[in-house]
Amino acid sequence: MAKLKERYDIELAVHLVPAPSDDNFPEPDLWREMSKRDASDIAPYYGLEFCRSESLPEQSLLSIANALMANFNVEQFCSIGSEASAHLWRNDKQALMALVRKYGAASKQDTDAKLTTGKERRAALKHYGSAMFYYEGEWYWGVDRLYHLEERLASLGADQSSQQSPIAPRPRILSEFGKGAHKLTLEYFVSLRSPYTAVSWDPTIKLAKDSGVSLEVRPVLPMVMRGVPAPREKKVYIAIDAAREARSLGVDYGNFYDPIGKPVMRGYSLYMWAEEQGKGNEFLAAFLKAAFASGVNTNSSKGLQIVVEKAGLNWAEGKLHLDDDSWKAPLENNRLSMYEFGSWGVPSYRLLDANGNEVLSAWGQDRLWLVAQKIRDLTRLS
């Protein structure tokens, strides 16, 4: 925050909010564990530090940290907020109490009021997460969306620096790798109804080809078809963010026709048949392109015919498989495998070594650069 405030001609307002506890976070325990691991994985690539203990912060320390930060003004948030956060994630009570003695802490009543006010402000602006930046109608989630905000501020003439590079540029997806990548396996968990899967498909296929890793595509049912709630504000944010990410990656995206329900089930029936023909990935690619880039109604036989033929398959044969439910068991197995490494959404990635041991797991198309970096680290450039 301090770097943003220093570089850009902006007024910064900070709102303290409580921990997530609603339908926007359907797997809170997995979410907390993954957040901790993910922050640790990406921090070095953004020039940041994330020091953590093996366990999540204790509730008593969270209360202390909230009281401390509820007493901060904006300048203090910028100057010592990261220090307070680091002590919290290290479960370092002694260091947190030293900050309290130095800077003071709000009463429980005032802390609760601050948290309530922050939550209400966020709700009024139609969002649900933390580590969020909001500017003139648009949300930017976490450090890996700051480059979008920086581009916007620069376009408005708010950049006061002569530097060419943003403060938090998105790491690029590497395309050159060393020998031995063919010994690695990249599991790619996808869904036919996922905007982020549609955004990630082409870049992921390209990464697999560039590196030579063995790619295993593992489809799962969409979360909403697994009974996971999807509140409206979450749907809106995902739609906007996925389109923004697609533009950044140069991916064809935007003419959307939601394939929820029957189209997905029929799509997976056809996928099982396509797999038998050696065209499983081609079918998934064609379906995603149709639903998220071409506006094809995959709820119709005509729409599915377009998908099947784009995949290089015969519709007359394919339509005989529309009601085949052999997909249910393998997709459920894929879901269980995904939960085993702490993920519940798509796209998710798991990178395995030559012995089948996990060397990296990550959730999100915005972690593909991290997967590529890990592949580079595990291979030897000539």
Side-chain angles (χ1 to χ4, degrees), residues 85-98:
S85 179
H87 296 329
L88 172 65
W89 282 96
R90 282 195 295 261
N91 272 309
D92 190 338
K93 183 176 181 179
Q94 184 176 352
L96 268 179
M97 291 306 299

Side-chain angles (χ1 to χ4, degrees), residues 58-102:
E58 297 173 6
Q59 182 59 46
S60 61
L61 296 193
L62 179 60
S63 297
I64 294 171
N66 277 334
L68 173 66
M69 293 189 180
N71 201 46
F72 283 173
N73 57 34
V74 171
E75 296 300 327
Q76 288 172 317
F77 261 107
C78 290
S79 61
I80 57 176
S82 60
E83 181 184 354
S85 179
H87 296 329
L88 172 65
W89 282 96
R90 282 195 295 261
N91 272 309
D92 190 338
K93 183 176 181 179
Q94 184 176 352
L96 268 179
M97 291 306 299
L99 289 180
V100 169
R101 288 191 293 272
K102 185 173 182 179

Side-chain angles (χ1 to χ4, degrees), residues 252-328:
D252 188 16
Y253 180 90
N255 193 358
F256 185 107
Y257 203 111
D258 192 351
I260 187 173
K262 191 174 181 180
V264 167
M265 292 186 286
R266 286 189 144 192
Y268 283 137
S269 294
L270 290 168
Y271 166 72
M272 297 301 292
W273 163 70
E275 269 283 272
E276 294 174 357
Q277 314 306 307
K279 293 276 190 177
N281 286 356
E282 288 82 356
F283 176 82
L284 294 176
F287 191 103
L288 292 167
K289 186 78 69 177
F292 292 95
S294 302
V296 172
N297 178 7
T298 54
N299 195 38
S300 67
S301 293
K302 182 178 179 181
L304 287 175
Q305 180 178 354
I306 290 172
V307 171
V308 166
E309 292 177 350
K310 283 285 186 182
L313 294 162
N314 182 275
W315 172 243
E317 182 181 351
K319 65 183 179 181
L320 302 176
H321 299 269
L322 284 174
D323 297 314
D324 180 2
D325 65 358
S326 63
W327 55 268
K328 291 183 178 180

Side-chain angles (χ1 to χ4, degrees), residues 136-200:
E136 291 293 327
E138 193 168 4
W139 286 96
Y140 308 87
W141 196 335
V143 68
D144 52 15
R145 291 301 188 275
L146 276 183
Y147 77 105
H148 288 306
L149 175 57
E150 290 194 74
E151 287 174 359
R152 187 175 179 190
L153 292 174
S155 72
L156 296 171
D159 190 347
Q160 302 176 117
S161 170
S162 59
Q163 298 179 41
Q164 298 299 311
S165 177
I167 294 169
R170 168 73 60 82
R172 66 185 181 88
I173 301 172
L174 301 174
S175 58
E176 295 182 2
F177 303 88
K179 298 177 181 179
H182 66 281
K183 298 178 182 179
L184 304 174
T185 298
L186 178 59
E187 295 181 325
Y188 178 35
F189 295 81
V190 302
S191 161
L192 286 179
R193 202 229 171 192
S194 161
Y196 289 124
T197 294
V199 171
S200 70

Side-chain angles (χ1 to χ4, degrees), residues 226-238:
R226 290 186 258 134
V228 179
R232 186 178 185 280
E233 61 267 28
K234 189 171 187 177
K235 292 179 182 177
V236 170
Y237 175 75
I238 288 173

